[in-house]
């Protein structure tokens, strides 16, 4: 997408043709910085420290991480070690394992001297497919927004989103934001309510940044405002992304998503989940029991960072010293609260049957 008139993806190969470059998302919105990854450990750290984040981008970065590892040492032992290192970086987004399995799968039959080239090619395919997939999600989601716009007779369609499921969370387009960008670009008036998304503020820092750079009207709200806005008829639809969705349609996503789904349900507001099929974990069917929920360090809750009036970035403590803090990063929204899934193969009910019909080749025997 566009940043000051220049087109960017979130991950690409450097001019040397082998290093991997990313946008450091921990520094946004205050600084736009490109970071060069040259080793397996660089890639693992970028995912672990959330310089890259968002399920699809985590997957693409992990794929390139395996390529960097194979460039250094293409032995079976190193492939095994690199897979393990990357797989342990973050637990919830299933795209990570999906991408690692895909690259490892194509490497298995390759001789050591050809492995690096094969891994780079597969990582590039994963990245390109992510862009095409999100574009397809955008086209299907566009129809939903256009239908509401027809009823609004020129008034903006108000869409609430949580966390950042924008182009920064993917290779390009985003999942939840793809339909929004397409509607905006087609001249449909849209306005986005952006949940700030504590504790890491992906909404306030990242979604607001990217929507702003694309010129999409938006307003940042505190995480607790969504229900109030829905009660007053100020939300036409909710669109969120997902980090892992079960074969039965339970949606794992950023902490707080479940509460938005409850409020949407209570107020008759459609609750859509936009996701590529790489985010569906076909091996599990009970989200509450089987989606691993990442618990992160308490400092993310106890401290907050932002720009001072002087323009420096500062970090300040929010809670009394010594206070016990819990930091659950994701929650699970049961399928019954999901109006529809917006996938690259269409808008489908969040049910085992509909998911299996849309992606028959991915179904695994239970
Ligand atoms: O912890 P993060 O920032 O990696 O979590 C990402 C999210 O939860 C996104 O909102 C999302 O919907 C999944 S990525 C499209």
């Amino acid at each position: 997408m566009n940043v000051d008139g220049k087109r960017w993806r979130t991950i690409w190969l450097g001019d040397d043709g082998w290093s991997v470059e990313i946008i450091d998302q921990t520094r946004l919105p205050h600084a736009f910085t490109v970071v060069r990854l040259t080793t397996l450990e660089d890639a693992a750290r970028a995912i672990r420290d959330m310089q890259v984040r968002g399920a699809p981008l985590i997957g693409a970065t992990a794929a390139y991480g395996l390529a960097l590892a194979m460039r250094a040492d293409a032995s079976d032992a190193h492939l095994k070690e690199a897979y393990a290192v990357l797989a342990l970086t973050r637990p919830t987004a299933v795209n990570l394992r999906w991408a690692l399995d895909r690259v490892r799968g194509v490497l298995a039959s390759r001789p050591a001297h050809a492995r690096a080239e094969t891994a780079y090619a597969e990582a590039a395919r994963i990245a390109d497919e992510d862009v095409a997939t999100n574009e397809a999600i955008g086209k299907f989601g566009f129809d939903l927004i256009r239908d509401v716009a027809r009823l609004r007779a020129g008034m903006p369609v108000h869409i609430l989103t949580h966390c950042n499921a924008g182009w920064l969370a993917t290779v390009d387009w985003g999942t939840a934001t793809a339909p929004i960008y397409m509607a905006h670009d087609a001249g449909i008036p849209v306005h986005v309510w952006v949940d700030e998304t504590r504790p890491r503020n992906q909404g306030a820092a990242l979604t607001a940044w990217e929507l702003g750079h694309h010129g999409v009207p938006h307003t940042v709200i505190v995480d607790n405002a969504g229900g109030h806005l829905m009660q007053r008829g100020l939300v036409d639809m909710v669109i969120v992304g997902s980090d892992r969705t079960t074969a039965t349609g339970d949606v794992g996503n950023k902490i707080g998503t479940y509460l938005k789904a409850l409020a949407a349900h209570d107020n008759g507001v459609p609750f859509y989940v936009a996701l590529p099929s790489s985010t569906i974990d076909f091996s599990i069917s009970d989200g509450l029991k089987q989606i691993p929920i990442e618990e992160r360090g308490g400092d993310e809750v106890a401290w907050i960072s932002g720009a001072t009036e002087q323009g420096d970035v500062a970090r300040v403590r929010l809670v009394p010293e010594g206070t016990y803090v819990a930091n659950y990063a994701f929650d699970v929204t049961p399928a019954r609260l999901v109006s529809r899934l917006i996938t690259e193969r269409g808008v489908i009910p969040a049910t085992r049957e509909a998911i299996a019909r849309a992606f028959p080749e991915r179904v695994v025997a239970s």
Side-chain angles (χ1 to χ4, degrees), residues 13-358:
L13 277 191
D15 287 341
D16 55 19
W18 66 270
S19 63
V20 178
E21 296 188 342
I22 56 163
I23 300 165
D24 183 351
Q25 301 192 20
T26 60
R27 303 202 56 199
L28 288 172
H30 309 297
F32 185 87
T33 318
V34 169
V35 169
R36 184 165 172 261
L37 313 177
T38 59
T39 61
L40 161 67
E41 195 38 56
D42 282 352
R45 192 174 42 244
I47 299 171
R48 205 182 302 117
D49 294 350
M50 295 178 68
Q51 288 181 310
V52 290
R53 24 72 47 206
L57 180 56
I58 289 171
T61 309
Y64 276 114
L66 275 190
L68 290 170
M70 291 301 92
R71 185 172 184 275
D73 171 0
S75 65
D76 282 353
H78 195 230
L79 174 58
K80 194 172 170 196
E81 184 198 328
Y83 182 105
V85 166
L86 290 161
L88 283 176
T89 48
R90 293 198 66 195
T92 301
V94 76
N95 305 58
L96 174 66
R97 195 186 67 207
W98 170 85
L100 289 174
D101 285 346
R102 204 169 131 168
V103 177
R104 186 175 61 179
V106 296
L107 293 184
S109 59
R110 304 293 287 156
H113 70 84
R115 277 186 169 170
E117 195 188 337
T118 304
Y120 273 104
E122 192 63 13
R125 250 192 303 277
I126 286 173
D128 288 345
E129 283 175 22
D130 184 61
V131 180
T133 295
N134 297 329
E135 198 172 348
I137 287 171
K139 286 181 182 155
F140 287 117
F142 171 87
D143 293 345
L144 299 170
I145 298 176
R146 186 205 47 211
D147 291 349
V148 175
R150 285 186 176 140
L151 303 172
R152 301 299 307 262
M155 298 298 285
V157 179
H158 295 285
I159 302 160
L160 186 144
T161 192
H162 191 66
C163 194
N164 173 263
W167 71 267
L168 289 169
T170 65
V171 179
D172 204 353
W173 283 110
T175 55
T177 55
I180 296 171
Y181 286 126
M182 286 185 193
H184 172 78
D185 291 351
I188 294 175
V190 290
H191 166 260
V192 185
W193 295 113
V194 178
D195 280 354
E196 63 175 345
T197 319
R198 283 280 291 144
R200 289 187 66 99
N201 298 309
Q202 289 96 326
L206 304 178
T207 306
W209 181 84
E210 60 163 272
L211 291 176
H213 278 277
H214 202 81
V216 179
H218 62 281
T219 307
V220 174
I221 51 175
V222 297
D223 291 328
N224 295 327
H228 167 78
L229 294 173
M230 290 183 213
Q231 284 176 321
R232 275 158 183 69
L234 294 171
V235 181
D236 293 302
M237 63 175 76
V238 178
I239 312 182
V240 297
S242 175
D243 295 85
R244 188 185 300 229
T245 287
T246 66
T248 51
D250 294 340
V251 172
N253 196 46
K254 183 52 57 187
I255 191 80
T257 303
Y258 169 55
L259 291 177
K260 292 298 133 63
L262 281 175
H265 186 71
D266 195 45
N267 290 282
V269 173
F271 184 89
Y272 297 115
V273 178
L275 79 172
S277 55
S278 51
T279 298
I280 303 175
D281 185 344
F282 287 84
S283 71
I284 60 172
S285 51
D286 183 334
L288 277 179
K289 290 196 182 125
Q290 294 175 291
I291 294 178
I293 301 296
E294 179 176 13
E295 289 180 47
R296 298 182 60 87
D299 277 3
E300 290 182 354
V301 177
W303 294 76
I304 194 161
S305 66
T308 65
E309 284 181 21
Q310 289 70 40
D312 311 315
V313 175
R315 195 163 166 269
V316 293
R317 173 187 281 284
L318 283 175
V319 304
E321 245 177 279
T323 304
Y324 219 52
V325 167
N327 187 8
Y328 298 95
F330 296 92
D331 63 22
V332 175
T333 298
R336 67 187 158 79
L337 297 176
V338 177
S339 306
R340 286 286 185 274
L341 302 173
I342 309 173
T343 76
E344 71 267 32
R345 295 202 183 150
V347 178
I348 61 173
T351 62
R352 184 193 287 280
E353 298 69 32
I355 293 170
R357 242 191 330 272

